[in-house]
């Protein structure tokens, strides 16, 4: 059973001074018209807000109907779109006036973006889901398929401080891996060599049979595209984690 609209403001404010007006407001407008079933209450709220806005009414009566609209399911995104659309027809001053009221009524704080969301806004490729190969990583990483046909390409994203273990891409012919850095800052290191800093645009070619690791800098998110190079008898051998003391020197 739908909620019945009940209004008493007419009688409370004008019952003695203008009883006929109070009756029309409380019993006819709200008692009958607002409870008429052909249009749902949310739609009636929107129509009322638009009508008052078009008439240039931006006093407490509009504030009441904006609050009523919110109470009956009109979201902040919807009211912003409604006011913007109506402004195109009734004029900017009315739009500004109504937005001032609506901002106070739909005053929910905007949820703060997580570090992951902020980083996602900085890069073109999706971060994806938690990496199913996480057991071979220190810290949290994510994996997103970019292409699964012809040349498989995956975007690998590392949270700050995350890196994979030492590993080797084996192949009897061909093989290896290519990394194309697309966001943040990270490192690549081959066994016996100094670590190389990776920034967007850096391309790393990793031959087969070379022991190496790669991942984020201790203080930065990092993403690279990973391209597996076709090879015969290709496989990946995962080894020990990178020495923490050595890694933490990479600032």
């Amino acid at each position: 059973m739908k909620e019945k609209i009940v209004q008493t403001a007419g009688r409370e404010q004008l019952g003695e001074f203008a009883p006929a007006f109070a009756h029309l407001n409380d019993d006819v407008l709200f008692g009958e018209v607002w409870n008429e079933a052909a249009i749902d209450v949310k739609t009636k709220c929107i129509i009322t807000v638009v009508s008052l806005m078009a008439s240039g009414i931006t006093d407490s009566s509009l504030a009441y109907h904006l609050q009523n609209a919110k109470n009956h399911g009109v979201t902040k995104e919807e009211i912003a779109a409604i006011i913007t659309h109506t402004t195109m027809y009734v004029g900017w001053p009315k739009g500004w006036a109504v937005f001032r009221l609506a901002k106070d009524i739909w005053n929910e704080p905007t949820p703060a973006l997580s570090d992951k969301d902020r980083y996602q806004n900085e890069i073109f490729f999706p971060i994806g889901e938690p990496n199913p190969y996480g057991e071979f990583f220190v810290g949290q990483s994510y994996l997103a398929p970019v292409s699964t046909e012809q040349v498989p390409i995956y975007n690998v994203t590392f949270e700050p401080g995350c890196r994979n273990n030492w590993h080797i891409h084996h192949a009897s012919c061909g093989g290896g891996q290519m990394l194309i850095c697309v966001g943040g800052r990270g490192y690549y290191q081959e066994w016996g060599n100094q670590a190389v800093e990776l920034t967007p645009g850096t391309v790393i070619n990793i031959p087969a049979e070379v022991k190496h690791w790669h991942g984020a800098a201790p203080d930065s998110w990092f993403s690279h595209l990973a391209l597996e190079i076709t090879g015969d008898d290709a496989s990946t051998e995962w080894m020990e984690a990178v020495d923490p003391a050595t890694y933490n020197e990479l600032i």
Side-chain angles (χ1 to χ4, degrees), residues 12-88:
E12 290 172 359
Q13 298 180 43
L14 295 170
E16 293 184 6
F17 187 81
F21 181 90
H23 162 68
L24 293 172
N25 183 83
D26 295 355
D27 302 331
V28 178
L29 174 57
F30 285 96
E32 296 180 15
V33 176
W34 272 86
N35 285 297
E36 200 278 325
I39 304 175
D40 63 78
V41 176
K42 180 180 177 180
T43 302
K44 289 173 184 171
C45 290
I46 294 171
I47 294 171
T48 304
V49 167
V50 171
S51 299
L52 294 175
M53 179 178 171
S55 300
I57 297 172
T58 57
D59 60 10
S60 59
S61 60
L62 178 56
Y64 167 83
H65 284 288
L66 286 168
Q67 184 65 59
N68 199 35
K70 180 182 178 183
N71 294 344
H72 286 91
V74 177
T75 67
K76 180 170 64 175
E77 291 75 16
E78 288 173 330
I79 197 64
I82 290 164
I83 297 171
T84 300
H85 185 87
T86 307
T87 297
M88 299 299 103

Side-chain angles (χ1 to χ4, degrees), residues 76-77 106-115 117-118 121:
K76 180 170 64 175
E77 291 75 16
W106 279 269
N107 60 356
E108 305 92 340
T110 302
L113 291 177
S114 66
D115 290 343
D117 290 334
R118 281 193 290 270
N121 291 336

Side-chain angles (χ1 to χ4, degrees), residues 180-191:
I180 302 175
C181 306
V182 295
R185 188 171 70 92
Y187 287 94
Y188 167 77
Q189 184 177 20
E190 295 182 357
W191 186 261

Side-chain angles (χ1 to χ4, degrees), residues 16-248:
E16 293 184 6
F17 187 81
F21 181 90
H23 162 68
L24 293 172
N25 183 83
D26 295 355
D27 302 331
V28 178
L29 174 57
F30 285 96
E32 296 180 15
V33 176
W34 272 86
N35 285 297
E36 200 278 325
I39 304 175
D40 63 78
V41 176
K42 180 180 177 180
T43 302
K44 289 173 184 171
C45 290
I46 294 171
I47 294 171
T48 304
V49 167
V50 171
S51 299
L52 294 175
M53 179 178 171
S55 300
I57 297 172
T58 57
D59 60 10
S60 59
S61 60
L62 178 56
Y64 167 83
H65 284 288
L66 286 168
Q67 184 65 59
N68 199 35
K70 180 182 178 183
N71 294 344
H72 286 91
V74 177
T75 67
K76 180 170 64 175
E77 291 75 16
E78 288 173 330
I79 197 64
I82 290 164
I83 297 171
T84 300
H85 185 87
T86 307
T87 297
M88 299 299 103
Y89 292 90
V90 304
W92 289 99
K94 293 175 180 176
W96 274 106
V98 178
F99 268 123
R100 290 189 185 98
L101 294 174
K103 281 183 65 179
D104 289 337
I105 293 169
W106 279 269
N107 60 356
E108 305 92 340
T110 302
L113 291 177
S114 66
D115 290 343
K116 180 181 176 184
D117 290 334
R118 281 193 290 270
Y119 179 67
Q120 178 65 87
N121 291 336
E122 297 174 5
I123 64 173
F124 178 79
F125 295 99
I127 288 177
E129 302 300 323
N131 194 338
Y133 298 97
E135 63 182 298
F136 305 116
F137 287 66
V138 174
Q140 181 63 58
S141 63
Y142 304 88
L143 190 67
V146 175
S147 172
T148 57
E149 299 181 10
Q150 293 186 307
V151 179
I153 303 173
Y154 291 85
N155 183 39
V156 186
T157 294
F158 305 75
E159 291 189 358
C162 177
R163 64 276 188 188
N164 51 33
N165 293 357
W166 290 99
H167 58 286
I168 298 174
H169 301 292
H170 293 296
S172 59
C173 180
Q177 188 180 53
M178 178 186 292
L179 308 179
I180 302 175
C181 306
V182 295
R185 188 171 70 92
Y187 287 94
Y188 167 77
Q189 184 177 20
E190 295 182 357
W191 186 261
N193 295 328
Q194 294 295 316
V196 177
E197 185 180 48
L198 307 179
T199 55
T202 304
V203 177
I204 297 292
N205 293 284
I206 308 170
E209 308 304 330
V210 172
K211 184 176 179 180
H212 65 282
W213 70 269
H214 37 98
D219 58 352
S220 175
W221 286 73
F222 175 64
S223 297
H224 65 60
L225 301 182
L227 293 79
E228 299 297 325
I229 308 304
T230 302
D232 296 336
D233 304 315
S235 64
T236 299
E237 179 184 0
W238 292 98
M239 302 175 178
E240 73 276 14
V242 178
D243 176 60
T246 301
Y247 170 78
N248 289 328

